[in-house]
Amino acid sequence: MAQKAIGILTSGGDCPGLNAAIRGVGKAAKGAYDATFVGFRDGFRGLVENRLIRLQDAELSGILTLGGTILGTSRDKPHMMPVGSVTMDMTDVAVANYHRHHLDVLVCLGGGGTHKNAHRLMKKGLNIVTLPKTIDNDVWGTDVTFGFDTAMGIATEAIDRLHTTAESHHRIIVVEIMGHNTGWLTLGAGLAGGADVILIPEIPYDIEVVAEAVLGRSRAGKRFSIIAMAEGALSEQQISEQKQAEKKAKKKKNKDQLPSPEEAVAASARLARQLQELTRLEARVTALGHLQRGGVPSPTDRLLATRLGTKCAELIHQDVYGVMVAAKGEECVPVPLDEVAGRRKTVPIDHSWIRSARLVGTCFGDRCGTLD
Ligand code: F6P
């Protein structure tokens, strides 16, 4: 079989496990299947700008435990790329650079946005394979994404630490957790860390219900509360305000748009202030932010990234393209990119994690406090 030429890039927000995945693809592709391997810098921008590095044994060594991405990343999209002061469609340039290097396949490591961009390039005739990464765990078609386990560990440890100080000061602590518009990270860390209230985008909350949960704890002699709040969580009131604003502007809010740092901080600060007013308990906010994306990947993420990466090399060897390599149970399987692109995996409101949380008495800020 002819030697394959593989290109790889990492796109979107970074996460722990990206280097383990690059290493997995590269070592298997080069060692077992004799492929050549190059990496484009800074996501799709590097492909457009033709900035690449040869990934030899030296570059693939010693990176299993390294956080971030040795290739760099960006949120740039080939079809809408800022070039100087204008935004241009650079898709044809990306396609031309793929051919210029006689690539057989481009491997794209990323989350929801990356899958849409990779799919666009697939439609232009490129052979594409993707791997699902993100701390948000919101990629459709895979049981789990790499990066999620590490971030959940970091957020859980933060909740553990906040417990002791909240208890000492008899405070409410609102801990703001990332996750874009999904609640996986907050739900996982909140449940593992024993948060008293968990607020996620999938379940609009009522501030009165949250305040009542805190007051109920006070009445039971527990004079502190930990509220795990997803950055995308919204109250029923905020949702109705948003709907009215959309009606007025005759335009729907783009659901993919990230809240600005000011908006995210304002939402948790507003929640803390409202709770302080309603409960007369002192409230504080801790926003975990990018801490959740930094540092060494957990063993679970290293394992997942290596399994997905090596399976990716195997699929390329078999000429299987136009797929995402997904984790399904104990297996890694190809899922058509056509099915993945443009979809998001949100938390089902009857998910077993939510049922368990409710059964241990966690409040979700809705009126469905008891199970039927
Ligand atoms: O998608 C990963 C993520 O960390 C989200 O949880 C968060 O909303 C976003 O990226 C933050 O993006 P940035 O690093 O561009 O501020």
Side-chain angles (χ1 to χ4, degrees):
M1 205 177 263
Q3 197 183 35
K4 293 262 167 68
I6 304 176
I8 191 167
L9 57 81
T10 54
S11 171
D14 72 334
C15 74
L18 280 168
N19 291 324
I22 295 169
R23 171 183 176 271
V25 178
K27 288 210 171 200
K30 288 161 70 70
Y33 306 120
D34 193 32
T36 62
F37 198 39
V38 296
F40 292 95
R41 294 191 185 276
D42 305 332
F44 291 102
R45 181 167 285 277
L47 176 64
V48 166
E49 294 176 353
N50 194 31
R51 288 187 289 117
L52 76 169
I53 44 170
R54 307 233 153 261
L55 294 168
Q56 311 281 22
D57 292 349
E59 283 78 25
L60 299 176
S61 239
I63 62 170
L64 176 62
T65 59
L66 198 65
T69 159
I70 56 165
L71 295 176
T73 187
S74 71
R75 292 196 185 276
D76 288 311
K77 312 168 178 69
H79 71 292
M80 272 175 64
M81 187 165 285
V83 181
S85 55
V86 288
T87 298
M88 290 173 66
D89 184 350
M90 302 300 277
T91 309
D92 290 346
V93 182
V95 171
N97 282 338
Y98 172 97
H99 292 302
R100 174 180 182 161
H101 295 289
H102 306 288
L103 294 181
D104 292 297
V105 59
L106 178 68
V107 178
C108 304
L109 278 53
T114 303
H115 279 84
K116 284 199 245 174
N117 293 325
H119 187 245
R120 283 189 192 100
L121 293 180
M122 182 189 105
K123 291 284 181 206
K124 291 281 176 181
L126 305 196
N127 288 333
I128 302 283
V129 179
T130 64
L131 299 189
K133 72 86 211 173
T134 164
I135 65 165
D136 304 338
N137 196 32
D138 60 351
V139 176
W140 190 90
T142 183
D143 289 353
V144 66
T145 56
F146 61 86
F148 175 64
D149 181 74
T150 310
M152 187 164 60
I154 296 167
T156 303
E157 191 194 337
I159 294 175
D160 292 348
R161 290 180 183 277
L162 291 169
H163 257 104
T164 58
T165 172
E167 188 161 14
S168 305
H169 284 268
H170 319 300
R171 281 175 171 157
I172 299 167
I173 295 195
V174 176
V175 49
E176 184 199 295
I177 296 174
M178 277 186 170
H180 199 173
N181 287 327
T182 58
W184 292 106
L185 193 53
T186 307
L187 177 60
L191 186 52
D196 307 297
V197 178
I198 297 177
L199 304 178
I200 59 174
E202 291 84 350
I203 305 179
Y205 69 88
D206 178 337
I207 189 68
E208 301 282 342
V209 175
V210 178
E212 189 41 44
V214 171
L215 289 171
R217 283 176 52 78
S218 290
R219 286 193 294 273
K222 297 170 189 166
R223 298 171 58 206
F224 74 98
S225 288
I226 301 289
I227 321 275
M229 181 191 194
E231 61 181 346
L234 291 171
S235 66
E236 289 165 353
Q237 193 194 336
Q238 283 167 310
I239 290 174
S240 97
E241 283 168 9
Q242 216 173 67
K243 278 193 185 140
Q244 276 175 13
E246 281 173 0
K247 214 166 148 189
K248 210 167 154 192
K250 294 195 174 105
K251 200 170 154 225
K252 279 219 175 294
K253 189 174 173 256
N254 173 5
K255 291 222 170 357
D256 281 341
Q257 202 182 331
L258 297 171
S260 69
E262 292 80 10
E263 280 167 346
V265 170
S268 39
R270 172 174 158 171
L271 176 73
R273 184 179 40 73
Q274 286 174 322
L275 286 178
Q276 189 161 285
E277 282 164 13
L278 289 167
T279 64
R280 307 231 160 260
L281 288 169
E282 206 173 26
R284 293 284 187 273
V285 179
T286 299
L288 300 184
H290 292 83
L291 265 182
Q292 297 159 106
R293 293 224 308 253
V296 173
S298 68
T300 299
D301 274 337
R302 292 179 211 176
L303 190 59
L304 177 61
T306 303
R307 286 170 55 222
L308 292 172
T310 50
K311 181 69 185 187
C312 172
E314 211 177 295
L315 290 169
I316 291 170
H317 179 65
Q318 296 162 353
D319 290 319
V320 178
Y321 303 123
V323 295
M324 173 183 81
V325 190
K328 296 267 181 175
E330 284 305 300
E331 302 301 324
C332 293
V333 296
V335 176
L337 210 43
D338 277 334
E339 288 177 22
V340 179
R343 293 169 95 168
R344 178 183 298 150
K345 185 182 75 176
T346 55
V347 181
I349 54 170
D350 58 351
H351 193 269
S352 64
W353 292 6
I354 294 188
R355 288 184 71 85
S356 288
R358 289 202 197 274
L359 286 168
V360 293
T362 312
C363 166
F364 282 89
D366 57 351
R367 296 199 181 271
C368 172
T370 50
L371 293 166
D372 39 306

